Amino acid sequence: MIPLHLQPESHVPLYIQLRDQIRALVHSGDLNPGDRIPASRELAGQLGVHRTTVANAYAELESEGLISGHVGRGTFIRNEGIARGISPAVHPIVTDGNLRWESLFADDRGEEILGRMTRAVPRGAISFVMARPATEFFPIEELRNCTNAVWKREGAEILQFGPTDGYPPLKQALVELLRAEGYEVADENLLITDGCQQAIDLVCKAFVRQGDTVLMENPAYPGALAIFTAGRARILGVPVKTETAPGMTPGVDVAAIEAVLMQNRVKMMMLTPDFHNPTGTTMPVAERRRLLEIAARFQVPIVEDHIYARLRARGGQVPSLKQLDRSNLVIQIDSFSKIAFPGLRVGWIVAPSNVIERLRRVKQATDLHTGQLGQAILAEHIRRGRLSRHLERTRKAYSGRLAALEQAMTRHMPPGTKWTRPEGGMCVWVELPPGFDSNELLIHSRERGVVFSPGRFFFMQNPQPNTLRLGFAGLNEREIARGIATLSDVLRVEMRKRQRGARRAESSRVALV
Ligand SMILES: Cc1ncc(COP(=O)(O)O)c(C=O)c1O
């Protein structure tokens, strides 16, 4: 009997557990070419699982070339399948003697996040593509002073290996900052990361097994999607309500979350309640409370992406999920990328201490620790009270830019075009009239020197081709006004073309009748 141990209580589907265990037995040499493995009915009986479970596992192993079934004789481990798996002599070589690297790459873990968006920006264009801070506010001189102070005071320590959980003065500064905001946090609840992107990656590595279900907003931040896809998670998207008509609550659809949790075993939820990327929506506090109650009832943790939350342009402050959480359900990830300087690659995680300890170990195996120089510069910047000043200045500027964007949209956009009214953050979500494809619009607007991100890029399922995202923080009011006027003009031209086309089609139909 082959040694197989399935765990019915695991989040990993049984057929995947079975497939992986048989594959491991083959590669470890416990199962050899020519060995017969039990028929699916027989193995299902031995393991006490449904026969389809075994049949599904066998089907995958057969498609990998690891086993083959012969009617009447049984199922066997294949020679060629194993050779392909373990023999070092069979790397595919092309005729000119060069190694074909593509055939050796592991599963698709190299999804493009930054490049795909930035490459599309022609020189001199007005770019609404990125949701990133404005370069002109970077306080280079102040940061030079902070850096000099750090070198002088502790240069040698900075150049040495540091602690995985973070540079202690930065952790201390963050504890103070968070406590002032009402969080109950101590040093043991904090882990410094290389930004939110790494935080998501660490969470995925620490919690998500292949086949686990992760619930996300649809549309969502593509960087998070790329991580969970690479982690082989099953991603379930929940719609985000973008219309802010009176009586309608914006943000992720909490009733839909409840329905998903009732019907699926969900491992965790990943949500951005404040100024969601890409829609800009904010979940009202009542919805947050309802969400936390549902999460507690189903015992499903929430990863709260808090990266934009401090960029409120208007309206009253809304407490974060982490601040409202009474059940220890929330892991909050945050970053200096939007409130300060993304190039330094520093962020943090706030979570229960046992979660932080596990994430710390995963981080250690990933990169030992975040670079100490960036952390020390930020700690010094905070200590001198400069970060809060910088944030105040940029928040005001972005608020003015958001107002300029809305003014220009109201003035120029053709009827039938809708857009969200974010209370802060860095992006506005636009819905073109039905039937329009923002990818096509982009081709024409690029020719006129204006670019944006097509909405399709942010969906994991049911993409809406008539949507697009405008990142406004990096453009000044003049650029915004000019960009929106041009974009609206391109849209009107395309609308007229469509109307002419429709009229022609109608008159030829009339002629035929
Ligand atoms: C919602 C969201 N989460 C995470 C990130 C990644 O941020 P960081 O630069 O901190 O890694 C971004 C970056 O744009 C984002 O928009």
Side-chain angles (χ1 to χ4, degrees), residues 194-197 200 221 272 277 305 307-308 335 337-338 345:
D194 301 0
C196 277
Q197 189 66 21
I200 303 167
Y221 164 57
T272 307
N277 179 9
D305 190 336
I307 192 165
Y308 294 102
S335 171
S337 284
K338 309 288 171 170
R345 309 302 309 131

Side-chain angles (χ1 to χ4, degrees), residues 116-354:
R116 192 147 47 121
M117 304 235 264
T118 44
R119 256 203 315 273
V121 182
R123 271 176 95 84
I126 296 179
S127 173
F128 292 97
V129 171
M130 300 291 283
R132 65 178 185 190
T135 314
E136 66 268 27
F137 296 121
F138 290 159
I140 307 292
E141 204 45 47
E142 278 176 20
L143 289 172
R144 201 202 315 272
N145 292 337
C146 291
T147 315
N148 286 344
V150 166
W151 281 133
K152 217 162 160 181
R153 190 174 62 227
E154 50 189 322
E157 287 91 326
I158 290 297
L159 292 176
Q160 196 44 276
F161 282 117
T164 300
D165 58 325
Y167 170 74
L170 180 62
K171 287 192 76 185
Q172 186 52 39
L174 282 171
V175 166
E176 282 163 23
L177 190 145
L178 290 165
R179 282 188 182 157
E181 291 177 347
Y183 287 81
E184 283 171 31
V185 319
D187 185 82
E188 65 194 27
N189 303 116
L190 263 187
L191 176 72
I192 302 292
T193 66
D194 301 0
C196 277
Q197 189 66 21
Q198 184 181 56
I200 303 167
D201 191 42
L202 298 178
V203 165
C204 181
K205 283 177 173 163
F207 289 96
V208 179
R209 299 197 192 103
Q210 183 170 339
D212 279 353
T213 301
V214 176
L215 183 151
M216 296 177 74
E217 292 124 337
N218 185 39
Y221 164 57
L225 265 176
I227 288 172
F228 289 116
T229 306
R232 295 268 174 266
R234 172 176 170 246
I235 302 171
L236 288 182
V238 170
V240 180
K241 292 182 281 182
T242 50
E243 291 214 40
T244 45
M248 183 142 184
T249 45
V252 68
D253 186 339
V254 177
I257 291 185
E258 187 171 17
V260 169
L261 297 192
M262 271 194 289
Q263 288 158 17
N264 297 272
R265 203 197 287 188
V266 171
K267 186 73 180 277
M268 56 174 34
M269 304 185 238
M270 161 96 223
L271 301 170
T272 307
D274 296 278
F275 321 130
H276 169 245
N277 179 9
T279 65
T281 52
T282 295
M283 266 179 99
V285 67
E287 292 292 281
R288 293 178 193 223
R289 291 214 163 91
R290 204 168 129 222
L291 172 70
L292 285 166
E293 181 274 307
I294 292 166
R297 184 152 33 96
F298 288 92
Q299 287 291 291
V300 178
I302 304 172
V303 181
E304 176 183 35
D305 190 336
H306 198 246
I307 192 165
Y308 294 102
R310 291 184 179 80
L311 295 177
R312 177 163 283 279
R314 60 190 170 209
Q317 202 65 36
V318 184
S320 69
L321 293 175
K322 185 77 194 155
Q323 284 169 315
L324 295 170
D325 177 24
R326 295 286 163 265
S327 313
N328 249 359
L329 280 169
V330 178
I331 296 175
Q332 186 180 73
I333 62 171
D334 212 329
S335 171
F336 289 104
S337 284
K338 309 288 171 170
I339 58 170
F341 325 114
L344 292 185
R345 309 302 309 131
V346 183
W348 66 95
I349 303 178
V350 187
S353 57
N354 51 349

